[in-house]
Amino acid sequence: MRLMRFDVDNEKIVIEKENEVVEYDILFTFDCEANKKSYVGYSDNELAANGRKTIYVSSYNPLSKEVELEDITDPKELEMIQNVLNKIDSEATDN
């Protein structure tokens, strides 16, 4: 997977994945004060088996000239992100 374009202003991420260019919509970004990292949630708008939109989340450095999306593998970090996603989902269903 190679990041080709990261455009927060136009809410798009373009990635080359398995020799195919895939465009993703940026759904949200957030910063975590506890670990000093920035995160981006994005989707290709495909539906998962449960009928909901598939959402990917990666960390990134917004100050870097060449933004790279980084996989999240730390269990505590994954739990924190799941809590953020649950909060976003809760707020969306309340409105």
Side-chain angles (χ1 to χ4, degrees):
M1 181 168 82
R2 182 175 70 92
L3 180 65
M4 298 176 69
R5 183 168 50 105
F6 185 93
D7 186 350
V8 174
D9 294 332
N10 292 311
E11 300 178 341
K12 296 288 181 197
I13 291 176
V14 178
I15 294 174
E16 184 180 342
K17 184 170 144 180
E18 299 172 8
N19 295 323
E20 185 177 327
V21 175
V22 182
E23 185 174 276
Y24 296 85
D25 293 325
I26 295 175
L27 304 175
F28 57 86
T29 60
F30 68 94
D31 298 317
C32 178
E33 292 296 319
N35 65 11
K36 307 292 186 217
K37 284 186 165 182
S38 296
Y39 297 91
V40 58
Y42 52 101
S43 178
D44 57 5
N45 297 308
E46 294 287 324
L47 297 181
N50 64 4
R52 299 182 77 173
K53 191 184 296 187
T54 301
I55 298 173
Y56 306 94
V57 180
S58 298
S59 63
Y60 73 103
N61 180 350
L63 303 177
S64 175
K65 273 186 170 180
E66 295 292 322
V67 174
E68 291 184 28
L69 299 179
E70 302 203 10
D71 291 336
I72 300 158
T73 57
D74 179 85
K76 288 184 180 187
E77 203 172 356
L78 288 168
E79 182 180 344
M80 179 272 300
I81 290 167
Q82 187 61 53
N83 290 338
V84 169
L85 290 173
N86 290 341
K87 183 177 180 187
I88 290 169
D89 187 48
S90 173
E91 289 173 357
T93 55
D94 287 347
N95 292 330

